[in-house]
Amino acid sequence: MGARLKKSDLKRNHYRRLSWYLWILPALAAFLAQHLLAGYPALVEQYHARGLFRWLSVPISWLTSLAPFSLTEAILLLGVPAVLILFVIWLVRLFRRPGKMARLARLMRGLAWTLSIAYLLFMLLHGLNYARLPVAESFGLPARERTADDLAETAAWLAKQTTILRARTQENGQGVFQLRSGVAETLKTAADGYAAASAEYPLLAGIHLQPKGVLLSHYWSYTGITGMYIPLLVESNINIDVPEYSMPETVLHEIAHTRGFAREDEAGFIAFLAGLAHPDADFAYSVLLDATIRCLNALYNADQDAYKATAALLDDAVWRDISAGNAYWKQFEGPVQEASTQVNNAYLQANLQQDGVRSYGRMIDLVLAWHEQQTGRGTLDASIACLASDKAGD
């Protein structure tokens, strides 16, 4: 009689055959969930952004925050080379042993399952949040068509407040803005702005996380990127080589992603709110200058006379900061930055942001709506007046 397979062996072979075909299911489920749920933002808001996402992200972020350094950078610098070395060793052993094709097939199957599950986790920790309710709706901001006059009015207010706060900041020997508390302390205290802003906007509440500065930030600048959120680690990575006036805004922007706000324009606006609420005037200056520059760029295309009048409201100190920023980024222009922009554009479009990198400009609409709301309430200058006081300049 011929040898027969045991029943346990038959089951094992059956599951192995299934694993060749089922690896696509996690990725397919994630892809379909994002695109189908895009039509039901209220559902995503209630059950995912405010529910499942927070249940998953909080313990992960707490765990990864225990490392005082960027885990992302460590993985790239140490983990990737280690994996490549192990892969080379595996290849050498593969060609010295029988059953080469079977071993290679098992590797490919394992890689396919790993990537599929990673994509599912990406969706749960970030991707699905692109389909949540717009911030304008969840924050009760007035939504309407904005005119050039609206833009000019808001830009003028922003420019005035930016100049007021610039007088309360410190500068280096070249007369350029310098963080009062230094880079490390800025990273450490950034979340204080969210704690303060959550009194008016409860959706901004969350655990205190400290973004991680990247050691090789200077080289990272060749990509034109100032910050990056890594969903699988729920970790914010910050370029700490950039001009210091822009750093607080970047830190607040990346924290917004860790709190479930995936869209770039909305993360920028939320950084704006958290910066204004922050007890350190450096943060308010950073977000105000960022918003002012964005509004001025839009105003230049809409009404050049209004642009000139508004730009004149910024004093020489502010213009020194802007010039220093332009000079810094000029040295990194080139093919690497262009390629990075293309990759970022493709990523945003793949995640329901059809405008790609242009979606950053829509942050202005949210600032205009906020300005109208605060003007109507008569509370527009309250927080700015507090930050511009003598206490803020200590």
Side-chain angles (χ1 to χ4, degrees), residues 9 25 30 34 50 110 128 131 140 153 158 170 186 219 273 275 277 283 294 300 304 307 321 378 392:
D9 292 333
L25 292 182
Q34 186 191 48
R50 303 190 190 189
L128 287 178
E153 180 184 348
L158 290 169
Q170 292 183 357
T186 296
Y219 302 100
L273 295 180
F283 284 84
R294 292 176 187 273
Y300 181 85
Q304 293 200 11
Y307 165 82
D321 296 342

Side-chain angles (χ1 to χ4, degrees), residues 38-365:
Y40 304 93
L43 192 68
V44 177
E45 181 74 29
Q46 181 178 356
Y47 293 104
H48 181 74
R50 303 190 190 189
L52 180 60
F53 166 75
R54 297 208 171 193
W55 281 100
L56 292 173
S57 65
V58 168
I60 295 174
S61 61
W62 178 84
L63 187 62
T64 58
S65 68
L66 295 178
F69 54 87
S70 168
L71 290 174
T72 304
E73 186 174 27
I75 290 171
L76 288 175
L77 295 180
L78 302 176
V80 172
V83 169
L84 290 176
I85 292 171
L86 291 174
F87 179 67
V88 171
I89 294 173
W90 180 86
L91 280 178
V92 172
R93 291 181 176 179
L94 174 67
F95 287 102
R96 290 180 177 177
R97 296 179 180 179
K100 298 179 180 61
M101 296 308 297
R103 292 174 183 274
L104 182 61
R106 285 198 295 271
L107 174 66
M108 298 304 294
R109 180 180 59 193
L111 181 61
W113 272 102
T114 300
L115 293 176
S116 184
I117 292 172
Y119 183 64
L120 174 61
L121 291 174
F122 164 80
M123 281 297 173
L124 293 174
L125 292 169
H126 193 55
L128 287 178
N129 286 331
Y130 284 102
R132 71 185 297 177
L133 281 175
V135 160
E137 184 173 343
S138 56
F139 283 29
L141 298 173
R144 65 178 180 83
E145 290 291 328
R146 304 289 166 180
T147 66
D149 289 340
D150 294 328
L151 178 60
E153 180 184 348
T154 301
W157 181 84
L158 290 169
K160 290 176 183 177
Q161 308 312 316
T162 300
T163 293
I164 291 172
L165 283 181
R166 180 60 174 85
R168 301 293 180 181
T169 62
Q170 292 183 357
E171 358 178 278
N172 60 21
Q174 289 72 47
V176 175
F177 172 89
Q178 185 176 48
L179 290 168
R180 181 184 297 107
S181 56
V183 172
E185 191 67 16
T186 296
L187 295 175
K188 183 178 179 181
T189 62
D192 292 346
Y194 280 84
S198 64
E200 183 174 356
Y201 304 100
L203 281 179
L204 300 185
I207 65 172
H208 189 106
L209 293 178
Q210 180 175 335
K212 313 288 186 62
V214 172
L215 295 178
L216 298 180
S217 287
H218 180 79
Y219 302 100
W220 191 16
S221 291
Y222 281 100
T223 66
I225 296 175
T226 58
M228 183 177 291
Y229 169 59
I230 307 301
L232 298 186
L233 299 174
V234 195
E235 182 181 74
S236 294
N237 289 267
I238 308 299
N239 185 329
I240 56 175
D241 188 62
V242 299
E244 293 190 5
Y245 76 81
S246 68
M247 201 177 302
E249 190 280 333
T250 297
V251 177
L252 295 172
H253 181 112
E254 297 308 320
I255 291 177
H257 290 318
T258 69
R259 304 208 172 184
F261 298 95
R263 301 184 190 105
E264 294 299 331
D265 54 319
E266 295 183 348
F269 172 67
I270 287 167
F272 176 79
L273 295 180
L276 293 185
H278 202 287
D280 185 345
D282 282 357
F283 284 84
Y285 174 68
S286 182
V287 300
L288 281 167
L289 180 52
D290 175 77
T292 299
I293 292 172
R294 292 176 187 273
C295 282
L296 282 174
N297 289 337
L299 195 57
Y300 181 85
N301 295 323
D303 186 338
Q304 293 200 11
D305 289 336
Y307 165 82
K308 293 176 182 177
T310 304
L313 297 173
L314 296 175
D315 67 6
D316 291 342
V318 177
W319 283 112
R320 285 198 299 272
D321 296 342
I322 295 174
S323 296
N326 292 338
Y328 175 83
W329 289 111
K330 182 72 175 177
Q331 64 183 313
F332 297 106
E333 291 179 352
V336 174
Q337 191 171 129
E338 293 173 4
S340 174
T341 300
Q342 292 300 318
V343 170
N344 193 27
N345 185 62
Y347 164 79
L348 291 172
Q349 290 182 341
N351 284 282
L352 311 178
Q353 305 302 287
Q354 295 305 313
D355 289 340
V357 292
R358 290 180 296 167
S359 66
Y360 290 85
R362 285 187 280 140
M363 177 257 192
I364 297 172
D365 292 329

